[in-house]
Amino acid sequence: MRVVVASDKFKGTLTSAEVADAVGAGVRRVHPDTTVVSVPVADGGDGTLSAAVAAGYTHVPVVASGPTGEPVSSGYARLGDTAVVELADVSGLVRLPGGIPAPLTATSYGTGELIAAALDAGCTRIILGIGGSASTDGGQGLIDALGGRLSGNNSALRDENLPESGLYVDTAALRRRLHGVEVVVACDVDNPLTGRRGAATVYGPQKGATPEQIVELDERLGRWADVVAEATGVDLRDTPGAGAAGGVGFAALALLDAELRPGIDLVLEMVRFREQLAGADLVITGEGALDEQTLNGKAVAGVAAAARTSSTTLPAAAPSATVPAAASSTPIPVVAVCGVNRLGPDQLRAIGVSAAYALTDLEPDVRRCIAEPEPLLEQLGERIAVRHLTMTRRERGIA
């Protein structure tokens, strides 16, 4: 028997690899001869770097600027000429000193520094995961770090007193810097840069912005978009995904000629997930909470979709005197583990998940689920083995 565990992290409690270890231990407790393969995944936010390293990429350490300018120990992952950069690890909410929001001053500069380091090392393909951003700077910091954004003090969006004539984008410098380089961005939102569905309005509150600051940030983003449109001759502020990561999506589209793709799809390619499915009898996926967001391209839905389009070969029933034995193909079944499940059976089936197992099924006290998730996940692994593997073993005639 072969089981593939492809879970996202349980945010704030366990990494993807730790989830797989705990669930796998439970599965093997019931069926010791089962091969459990851990394939950590992410949706483009925090955890993307770890997923790349688990897939065989090499972590390259880099000290870069955090969202408020302080140096942080970060890095990128490299395999051949491809580099994976995780915005959350350098410019994300988790990097805010003391967790204190800085809605007007946080910057994406450090993310640009990581990209620059990868380019300097000879990488020609950049995979950029942009979830978990702490800033709403329109990606101006990132462009600054790559040498394409010039002004008196490199703070156009952070200094409302800087005259409009002081804003300038050096597109020629960017073209030289990015010549022959492919940039692919993991993006799971379709928000434009500005307006009622824009970066500041929709995501500013998550970054600590007050209603007054949201108005100010939206105006700043509009001014930045004007400057970029004048420099490039194209206005992409309303492009779906431009508002991702506080406008980093806009900067990547308009100035890096980037391609935006769903985060989980990029990560599944990066970890060669379909190759790992060969011969699998069951896929176990998961994330901290299964809810409405899960249905919109998060890791669980992406893993289930990939498994649904793959298949495993099972022996047919015993042959009769006239009908020989034959193999039959069936989609690989998928079940999910989570901290809490807010989806109904029909919603789960719609994304290709046959059953969900939550820590709160075993322990109603959420605080204990957060504090001691491993033993609970092991118990869920046992349940999954009994309910989903034992029957398969019987079908195959395995004792």
Side-chain angles (χ1 to χ4, degrees):
M1 303 292 289
R2 178 181 171 88
V3 174
V4 175
V5 184
S7 175
D8 201 344
K9 65 194 172 300
F10 279 27
K11 194 167 185 176
T13 56
L14 296 175
T15 66
S16 301
E18 289 169 339
V19 172
D21 288 344
V23 173
V27 168
R28 285 189 291 265
R29 194 171 294 147
V30 177
H31 297 301
D33 57 344
T34 297
T35 298
V36 178
V37 180
S38 172
V39 186
V41 298
D43 59 11
D46 50 322
T48 300
L49 202 60
S50 296
V53 172
Y57 285 64
T58 299
H59 184 264
V60 180
V62 178
V63 175
S65 303
T68 55
E70 74 295 337
V72 298
S73 296
S74 183
Y76 61 92
R78 179 173 185 171
L79 183 64
D81 62 0
T82 297
V84 178
V85 175
E86 180 188 305
L87 179 148
D89 191 58
V90 63
S91 307
L93 291 166
V94 296
R95 289 296 196 174
L96 287 167
I100 301 172
L104 296 181
T105 57
T107 172
S108 59
Y109 192 88
T111 301
E113 289 181 306
L114 293 186
I115 295 174
L119 296 177
D120 290 342
C123 294
T124 57
R125 184 170 191 256
I126 306 295
I127 298 175
L128 175 59
I130 60 175
S133 167
S135 68
T136 311
D137 72 346
Q140 182 257 336
L142 181 151
I143 298 302
D144 275 347
L146 289 173
R149 178 69 187 82
L150 303 179
S151 66
N153 59 3
N154 287 340
S155 60
L157 294 184
R158 301 190 294 276
D159 185 357
E160 65 272 20
N161 297 315
L162 192 68
E164 294 295 326
S165 60
L167 308 185
Y168 174 69
V169 180
D170 190 343
T171 55
L174 285 173
R175 283 195 298 270
R176 290 192 298 271
R177 196 80 167 93
L178 277 299
H179 178 70
V181 175
E182 176 189 7
V183 180
V184 186
V185 177
C187 176
D188 292 314
V189 302
D190 61 0
N191 303 78
L193 180 65
T194 58
R196 63 181 182 83
R197 293 190 61 250
T201 305
V202 175
Y203 302 108
Q206 301 173 9
K207 303 172 185 182
T210 65
E212 293 77 15
Q213 290 171 332
I214 288 170
V215 172
E216 180 179 347
L217 287 167
D218 192 61
E219 291 174 351
R220 293 184 186 185
L221 291 173
R223 292 198 298 271
W224 171 236
D226 291 341
V227 171
V228 173
E230 183 177 351
T232 63
V234 180
D235 192 339
L236 298 181
R237 78 186 74 196
D238 293 327
T239 304
V248 167
F250 167 76
L253 282 167
L255 295 169
L256 305 184
D257 195 26
E259 175 189 6
L260 302 189
R261 292 187 54 197
I264 184 59
D265 291 352
L266 264 176
V267 172
L268 291 180
E269 283 182 13
M270 182 177 71
V271 302
R272 301 185 296 277
F273 179 63
R274 292 185 184 278
E275 295 176 26
Q276 303 289 351
L277 291 177
D281 300 285
L282 179 69
V283 172
I284 303 173
T285 185
E287 60 187 352
L290 297 181
D291 52 28
E292 291 292 334
Q293 292 188 38
T294 303
L295 307 178
N296 298 316
K298 290 295 185 179
V300 166
V303 168
R308 189 166 58 240
T309 57
S310 301
S311 62
T312 187
T313 302
L314 299 175
S320 65
T322 57
V323 180
S328 63
S329 294
T330 182
I332 303 170
V334 179
V335 299
V337 293
C338 58
V340 60
N341 176 30
R342 301 187 181 98
L343 298 178
D346 290 343
Q347 291 173 300
L348 291 169
R349 282 192 291 270
I351 60 172
V353 176
S354 59
Y357 297 83
L359 301 185
T360 52
D361 294 340
L362 302 174
E363 174 52 67
D365 186 347
V366 175
R367 290 173 299 181
R368 189 190 162 206
C369 291
I370 294 173
E372 303 175 35
E374 289 97 332
L376 296 173
L377 276 171
E378 289 185 21
Q379 291 182 53
L380 293 183
E382 292 177 17
R383 287 190 177 189
I384 290 169
V386 170
R387 297 177 184 178
H388 298 275
L389 294 180
T390 300
M391 181 60 70
T392 302
R393 292 171 68 91
R394 289 173 181 166
E395 290 173 352
R396 293 189 176 188
I398 302 173

